Amino acid sequence: MPKTLTTTDALAEFCARAARCPYVTVDTEFLRERTYFAQLCLVQLALPGTDDSDAVLVDPLADDMSLEPLFELFRNRDVVKVFHAARQDLEIFHVDGDVLPEPLFDTQVAAMVCGFGEQVGYETLVRKIAKASLDKSSRFTDWSRRPLTDAQKTYALADVTHLRQIYEYLAAELERTGRRAWVEEELQTLTNREAYVVEPDEAWKRLKTRTNSGKFLAILRELAKYREETAQARNVPRNRIMKDDVLMELASTKPKSVQDLSKSRLLQRDGRKGDAAEALLAAVKRGLETRPEDMPKAPAGRDKSQMNPALADLLRVLLKAKAEEAGVAQKLIASSADLDDIACGTRDGLWAHGWRGQVFGEDALRLCEGEIALSAKGQQVKIIPV
């Protein structure tokens, strides 16, 4: 059975060995269904090689366990930290340890650059690269319960042992194609600390609204701020405090008294009395008293009346052709919304810079300016200078 580390000293000993290696593979198991912040339940680590004795499970719930040795390893820039689909793992480590692993390698991002498709799953890479299969029966088990079953331990360890072979294959492929810089460019977003900080003042931007009314948005901002702060303080999911449609209703009806709150169709009983009711009414009041110049503005959307549908279709053909030529997932280069923006007249975006600009953006702009045309020959699309 996999070795489980339950003391800080044991973790420190393993991390000291890892510090002498070129890389370490990392994964986590956590729960988040009942909390605002994820509860870290298990960390899996593996060193280079094929020996499973070089792979361990770390129990962060053990009484004599501090993850500081692991955080110190994450700060060691001589060791590459390898994850698959790292974003949620990184958020946990940022919240729990105020640390982001660097240097970082994400095999999902690398796989998209290497032509494995859109947001390819770990199981697919295990099958295609490691030529193995995974038993996923323990995937949705309760990782906070102790003791862990043998099946849970085996499942968890497989998430880092196969990752070694996947990493080495993808790293070699990136060197062969000269695209390592492409992946490093993508990983800058994952290692940006701002991506893992939720500011209550900005929480309203998560909500989809159908109005540009400054007063409505001002009230919505205050209500969303209250919900976010309360959810964080209680460590419960924000929808346990109030669902999105309740925020929308209250921003629309603008209640000014407990009696007004009682008329809400969606607000639950707990929100209609006591401290919760007072907090909601205070939030609405702050929104109503917001000065016009301080009212939030809805994100500017594209003016669809300016869209050239024919150009949008041509851009999709161009993107498909360029993605296939480069062997890169289309969505990693540009989204469908990006193409519509370009067809509406936008001439700048992520798609226009770095490796994306080289692969697609430059030709997209040339297509918009009428400097190139597209021609189909058999299954191929060719670019023709005009």
Side-chain angles (χ1 to χ4, degrees):
M1 275 295 102
K3 183 177 181 180
T4 303
L5 308 183
T6 58
T7 67
T8 305
D9 288 344
L11 176 60
E13 181 181 345
F14 182 87
C15 289
R17 290 175 55 203
R20 299 189 292 270
C21 298
Y23 72 85
V24 58
T25 57
V26 189
D27 191 39
T28 68
E29 304 298 340
F30 57 89
L31 297 178
R32 199 171 193 168
E33 292 80 7
R34 298 184 295 272
T35 59
Y36 182 93
F37 300 104
Q39 179 189 7
L40 181 61
C41 299
L42 196 68
V43 181
Q44 304 96 280
L45 304 169
L47 305 182
T50 58
D51 190 345
D52 282 355
S53 65
D54 288 329
V56 297
L57 306 177
V58 180
D59 188 355
L61 303 182
D63 292 337
D64 189 20
M65 175 60 74
S66 164
L67 293 182
E68 187 52 41
L70 178 62
F71 298 153
E72 189 61 32
L73 177 63
F74 284 170
R75 299 183 189 102
N76 186 341
R77 297 194 60 82
D78 293 329
V79 182
V80 177
K81 274 64 73 171
V82 182
F83 292 77
H84 180 83
R87 197 187 191 290
Q88 291 190 83
D89 302 316
L90 299 188
E91 181 181 357
I92 292 171
F93 292 128
H94 181 266
V95 171
D96 289 0
D98 191 29
V99 62
L100 288 176
E102 293 188 80
L104 173 73
F105 190 97
D106 189 319
T107 54
Q108 186 178 71
V109 174
M112 286 194 284
V113 170
C114 291
F116 281 86
E118 315 285 355
Q119 296 183 325
V120 60
Y122 181 65
E123 187 175 7
T124 299
L125 295 182
V126 169
R127 185 175 69 254
K128 291 187 175 181
I129 296 176
K131 309 301 181 186
S133 59
L134 294 177
D135 178 4
K136 307 294 285 186
S137 59
S138 297
R139 182 178 183 182
F140 297 110
T141 56
D142 184 349
W143 292 98
S144 67
R145 296 188 64 180
R146 294 296 183 271
L148 295 174
T149 66
D150 289 347
Q152 284 179 303
K153 293 178 180 180
T154 300
Y155 163 85
L157 205 68
D159 281 346
V160 287
T161 51
H162 296 304
L163 194 56
R164 298 177 293 194
Q165 187 175 350
I166 292 169
Y167 165 67
E168 292 176 3
Y169 174 89
L170 293 174
E173 187 67 10
L174 292 172
E175 291 298 328
R176 184 186 69 80
T177 59
R179 293 181 178 178
R180 189 173 186 91
W182 293 19
V183 173
E184 290 174 353
E185 188 178 322
E186 295 306 299
L187 295 181
Q188 289 179 8
T189 302
L190 282 175
T191 54
N192 180 2
R193 286 178 176 268
E194 293 182 1
Y196 305 101
V197 177
V198 179
E199 296 291 350
D201 282 329
E202 304 294 316
W204 69 276
K205 294 181 179 179
R206 293 171 171 264
L207 304 168
K208 295 182 179 180
T209 65
R210 297 182 178 180
T211 176
N212 293 325
S213 165
K215 184 172 293 187
F216 176 92
L217 294 176
I219 299 172
L220 185 66
R221 178 175 63 185
E222 296 299 329
L223 289 168
K225 178 181 179 180
Y226 158 74
R227 181 178 71 168
E228 204 73 20
E229 290 176 337
T230 305
Q232 291 178 355
R234 297 182 187 175
N235 193 23
V236 297
R238 58 177 66 91
N239 281 344
R240 290 277 186 92
I241 305 300
M242 276 189 299
K243 296 187 182 298
D244 291 354
D245 54 0
V246 178
L247 299 183
M248 299 293 185
E249 181 192 36
L250 296 181
S252 178
T253 58
K254 308 174 185 61
K256 297 180 180 179
S257 66
V258 173
Q259 184 177 3
D260 290 340
L261 283 178
S262 68
K263 299 175 183 177
S264 168
R265 294 185 302 108
L266 303 174
L267 183 64
Q268 294 186 354
R269 185 177 302 173
D270 290 346
R272 304 184 186 198
K273 59 184 179 180
D275 292 342
E278 291 182 12
L280 289 176
L281 293 173
V284 173
K285 186 173 185 292
R286 288 194 301 273
L288 288 170
E289 293 175 351
T290 302
R291 296 180 302 178
E293 60 268 28
D294 295 330
M295 289 180 177
K297 294 179 175 58
R302 72 178 74 93
D303 183 357
K304 293 186 178 180
S305 67
Q306 301 300 314
M307 181 185 291
N308 183 332
L311 178 58
D313 290 340
L314 286 174
L315 286 165
R316 283 170 170 75
V317 173
L318 176 66
L319 176 60
K320 185 175 186 297
K322 300 297 284 187
E324 290 178 352
E325 179 184 328
V328 181
Q330 291 184 49
K331 288 184 179 179
L332 192 62
I333 301 173
S335 67
S336 179
D338 288 333
L339 301 183
D340 289 343
D341 287 342
I342 300 171
C344 286
T346 299
R347 293 296 177 263
D348 191 30
L350 190 61
W351 53 269
H353 299 280
W355 67 268
R356 290 181 176 84
Q358 298 172 23
V359 171
F360 169 74
E362 293 173 3
D363 282 333
L365 292 174
R366 292 171 64 201
L367 182 66
C368 292
E369 298 301 321
E371 297 175 2
I372 60 173
L374 303 180
S375 172
K377 184 176 181 181
Q379 298 295 318
Q380 292 185 321
V381 174
K382 292 188 176 182
I383 294 175
I384 303 173
V386 176

